[in-house]
Amino acid sequence: MKRVSILNNVIGPVMRGPSSSHTAGPWRIGLIARDLLGEPPTRASLFFHPESSLAVCYHDQGSDLAFVTGLLGRNLTDSKFPLMLEEAHREGVAVTFGLKAFPEADHPNSALLEATGPSGKSVRIHARSVGGGSIEIASVNGFSVFMTGDRYVMILETEPEKVQSTLSLLRKWDKNPSTTKRDGRTACLGTSFFEPTKEFIEEVKNTPSVLSSHFARPVMLPPCGKETFLDIREMIEAAGNEGLTLGEAAMASEASLLGLPGKELQQEMDFRLSVMLESVERGLVDRNLKTKLVDPVAGDIYEAESKGELFLGGVHARAAARSMAVMHVNGAGGVVCSAPTGGSAGVIPAVMATLLEDFGLSREKVLSCLWAAGVIGWALDKRSTFAAEVAGCQVEIGAAGAMGAAAVVEAAGGTARQACDAAAMVFQNVMGSVCDLVQGIVEIPCHSRNAALASQAFLAADLILGGYRNLVHLDETIDAVDSVGRMLPAELRCTSRGGLALCPSARRLPRRDLP
Ligand code: SF4
């Protein structure tokens, strides 16, 4: 089972909208490609399989900008992000994008990236953006690898008779290096959570039998420690035995995985919370956000609620308006915190802002709620995926709603078991939810679904706290979500080829970003 970190894969990265698969993932791939090349690129070409999800929406969802931002070594929050193609031109980097059927394409978000530097050195990588900003590099220059950006990687192509001596060299840094072959050629592969010394890198460079070397740094916090739990069942049991809330157990688990002290983890989480709260505020106040299809009306809804103009109003409506506000920022390409994805980035900030502002919870308590939310996403990612291209909207906004429900139970002082039951209930309610984004843009139905799930998080928590017994365990519920998602036809998994996306009125909608 894969190793999942709450900070690396669930609550974060801090990114630009509209979609973590299409901005955060490509950005990380671009960063790694730049590293592997070993020098700033002068030319780069990106190819997408004609039948892939990226082929349909790489431009509309800003993947082109994100790949280039990474290739230029810039931060995804760089204020020049919308102008990154011009920035590349200004820096002398010629970038092209194209559709091409390539045999390696085995994922809806597969991409083939070729980059060349001023020395003539080049690198060709097959990469996948697998959801929530997570990535996989499947091959480098035709050599099979498996890189997820969570550790340092060194790939040394060597003469066939020098494989053993090259492996010995790598063992100075990685105890268990491996080999990978293609067309009779061999490369030795070393990986480590710990950075190699400058002396070691120099030694590698000066080894004559190393024909070519490629080195990449991690693009996230290296999970250099131990996993404490394999599933939610184990976590609930441990939390019960040790008298911990779900949030406390989650943070202890993350500290063990990342090998970092609690104080550092809290600082990381606090930074993410700040980004979330800023995105709520901006989305409520800025009525000129450049969304493409929907009007940025969250502020109006929030105001109407405060004036008593809604039929019901209250916490659920305010949480919904806050969630929609973040999605307006996300839709306008603004800075948000993926939680667990960009398309579902509204729910968790809305729940946190509501707990802070409407219930007066302390910042410390809200951080504990964020950890509780995070561990629900952790459980989903371990057993399934955040990629709507693979399993539909249930693993994006459904996951965010489930995470939010656990956070509310944590806020109310409920047990770890109750928090997980509330999360399971949300998943059960959204089972089968399809991804049918209109015109390939993360706005319809994404903005209103985020609003609805922020509201549902409070409802599910109340039902559990009031005595509803969830009879299908969260781990099993997640397995069912995954299996249902994989049964969905490709038309309903982020390709805009089914559902709402095909409604005539949806297809006719004018886009504000086009003349
Ligand atoms: S419909 Fe759901 S899964 Fe699809 S883009 Fe929108 S938020 Fe993401």
Short mmCIF file of all heavy atoms in Angstrom, two decimals, residues 42 62 81 83 87 107 154 215 217 229 235 269 289-290 297 403 415 465:
data_model
loop_
_atom_site.label_atom_id
_atom_site.label_comp_id
_atom_site.label_asym_id
_atom_site.label_seq_id
_atom_site.Cartn_x
_atom_site.Cartn_y
_atom_site.Cartn_z
N THR A 42 16.45 25.28 -22.80
CA THR A 42 16.29 26.29 -23.85
C THR A 42 15.13 25.90 -24.78
O THR A 42 14.60 26.74 -25.50
CB THR A 42 17.57 26.44 -24.70
OG1 THR A 42 17.99 25.15 -25.10
CG2 THR A 42 18.67 27.12 -23.90
N GLY A 62 -5.00 25.52 -17.42
CA GLY A 62 -3.72 26.14 -17.06
C GLY A 62 -2.56 25.17 -16.92
O GLY A 62 -1.52 25.52 -16.36
N PHE A 81 2.31 34.08 -13.02
CA PHE A 81 1.81 32.78 -13.52
C PHE A 81 0.98 32.91 -14.80
O PHE A 81 1.22 32.18 -15.76
CB PHE A 81 0.99 32.08 -12.42
CG PHE A 81 0.43 30.75 -12.84
CD1 PHE A 81 1.20 29.60 -12.80
CD2 PHE A 81 -0.89 30.65 -13.30
CE1 PHE A 81 0.68 28.37 -13.21
CE2 PHE A 81 -1.42 29.43 -13.70
CZ PHE A 81 -0.63 28.29 -13.65
N LEU A 83 1.22 34.82 -17.13
CA LEU A 83 2.06 35.25 -18.26
C LEU A 83 3.27 34.33 -18.45
O LEU A 83 4.27 34.74 -19.05
CB LEU A 83 2.56 36.68 -18.00
CG LEU A 83 1.48 37.73 -17.74
CD1 LEU A 83 2.10 39.02 -17.26
CD2 LEU A 83 0.68 37.96 -19.03
N GLU A 87 6.91 34.71 -20.21
CA GLU A 87 8.13 34.70 -19.38
C GLU A 87 9.15 33.70 -19.95
O GLU A 87 10.34 33.97 -19.98
CB GLU A 87 7.77 34.29 -17.94
CG GLU A 87 7.08 35.37 -17.16
CD GLU A 87 7.99 36.55 -16.85
OE1 GLU A 87 8.92 36.39 -16.07
OE2 GLU A 87 7.75 37.63 -17.44
N HIS A 107 -2.38 6.62 -18.63
CA HIS A 107 -3.18 7.30 -17.61
C HIS A 107 -3.82 8.51 -18.30
O HIS A 107 -3.20 9.10 -19.20
CB HIS A 107 -2.25 7.75 -16.46
CG HIS A 107 -2.98 8.36 -15.31
ND1 HIS A 107 -3.37 9.69 -15.28
CD2 HIS A 107 -3.38 7.83 -14.13
CE1 HIS A 107 -3.99 9.92 -14.13
NE2 HIS A 107 -4.00 8.82 -13.41
N MET A 154 18.90 9.63 -8.38
CA MET A 154 20.06 9.76 -9.26
C MET A 154 20.01 8.62 -10.28
O MET A 154 19.85 7.45 -9.89
CB MET A 154 21.33 9.67 -8.42
CG MET A 154 22.53 10.27 -9.10
SD MET A 154 23.97 10.24 -8.02
CE MET A 154 23.76 11.74 -7.09
N PHE A 215 19.95 13.90 -12.02
CA PHE A 215 19.70 14.00 -10.57
C PHE A 215 18.47 14.87 -10.34
O PHE A 215 18.30 15.89 -11.02
CB PHE A 215 20.93 14.63 -9.90
CG PHE A 215 20.75 14.94 -8.45
CD1 PHE A 215 20.56 13.91 -7.53
CD2 PHE A 215 20.77 16.25 -7.99
CE1 PHE A 215 20.39 14.19 -6.19
CE2 PHE A 215 20.60 16.54 -6.64
CZ PHE A 215 20.41 15.51 -5.74
N ARG A 217 15.79 16.51 -7.18
CA ARG A 217 15.48 16.70 -5.76
C ARG A 217 13.99 16.43 -5.51
O ARG A 217 13.19 16.48 -6.45
CB ARG A 217 15.80 18.15 -5.35
CG ARG A 217 17.27 18.49 -5.42
CD ARG A 217 17.49 19.98 -5.36
NE ARG A 217 16.94 20.63 -6.55
CZ ARG A 217 16.87 21.94 -6.71
NH1 ARG A 217 17.30 22.74 -5.77
NH2 ARG A 217 16.35 22.46 -7.81
N PHE A 229 0.27 3.71 11.00
CA PHE A 229 -0.99 2.99 10.77
C PHE A 229 -1.12 2.66 9.28
O PHE A 229 -0.65 3.40 8.42
CB PHE A 229 -2.19 3.84 11.16
CG PHE A 229 -2.09 4.42 12.53
CD1 PHE A 229 -1.85 5.77 12.71
CD2 PHE A 229 -2.22 3.60 13.65
CE1 PHE A 229 -1.74 6.31 13.98
CE2 PHE A 229 -2.12 4.14 14.92
CZ PHE A 229 -1.88 5.49 15.09
N MET A 235 -6.07 3.10 13.12
CA MET A 235 -5.95 4.43 13.73
C MET A 235 -7.01 4.65 14.82
O MET A 235 -6.73 5.18 15.89
CB MET A 235 -6.03 5.52 12.67
CG MET A 235 -5.70 6.88 13.25
SD MET A 235 -5.39 8.17 12.06
CE MET A 235 -3.84 7.76 11.35
N MET A 269 1.07 23.31 8.86
CA MET A 269 -0.39 23.28 8.77
C MET A 269 -0.97 24.68 8.97
O MET A 269 -1.95 25.06 8.32
CB MET A 269 -0.94 22.30 9.81
CG MET A 269 -2.37 21.90 9.58
SD MET A 269 -2.63 21.13 7.95
CE MET A 269 -2.86 19.43 8.39
N LEU A 289 -13.63 38.83 -9.56
CA LEU A 289 -12.79 37.66 -9.87
C LEU A 289 -13.11 37.16 -11.27
O LEU A 289 -14.29 37.09 -11.66
CB LEU A 289 -13.06 36.55 -8.84
CG LEU A 289 -12.37 36.76 -7.48
CD1 LEU A 289 -12.97 35.82 -6.45
CD2 LEU A 289 -10.87 36.56 -7.60
N LYS A 290 -12.08 36.81 -12.00
CA LYS A 290 -12.29 36.46 -13.42
C LYS A 290 -12.61 34.97 -13.59
O LYS A 290 -11.83 34.22 -14.16
CB LYS A 290 -11.06 36.86 -14.22
CG LYS A 290 -10.84 38.37 -14.24
CD LYS A 290 -9.92 38.78 -15.34
CE LYS A 290 -9.79 40.29 -15.49
NZ LYS A 290 -10.53 41.14 -14.59
N VAL A 297 -20.70 35.11 -7.20
CA VAL A 297 -21.78 35.66 -6.36
C VAL A 297 -21.74 35.21 -4.90
O VAL A 297 -22.66 35.51 -4.14
CB VAL A 297 -23.17 35.26 -6.94
CG1 VAL A 297 -23.40 35.92 -8.28
CG2 VAL A 297 -23.29 33.75 -7.03
N MET A 403 -14.00 14.73 4.67
CA MET A 403 -12.96 15.32 5.52
C MET A 403 -13.56 16.40 6.41
O MET A 403 -13.24 16.51 7.60
CB MET A 403 -11.86 15.91 4.62
CG MET A 403 -11.03 14.86 3.90
SD MET A 403 -10.11 15.53 2.46
CE MET A 403 -9.07 16.75 3.21
N THR A 415 -15.47 11.46 19.30
CA THR A 415 -14.37 10.48 19.28
C THR A 415 -13.87 10.28 17.86
O THR A 415 -14.52 10.68 16.88
CB THR A 415 -14.86 9.12 19.80
OG1 THR A 415 -15.88 8.65 18.88
CG2 THR A 415 -15.44 9.21 21.19
N LEU A 465 -23.33 12.67 15.76
CA LEU A 465 -23.28 13.09 17.18
C LEU A 465 -24.64 12.88 17.86
O LEU A 465 -24.72 12.63 19.06
CB LEU A 465 -22.86 14.57 17.28
CG LEU A 465 -21.41 14.86 16.87
CD1 LEU A 465 -21.17 16.35 16.69
CD2 LEU A 465 -20.43 14.29 17.91
#
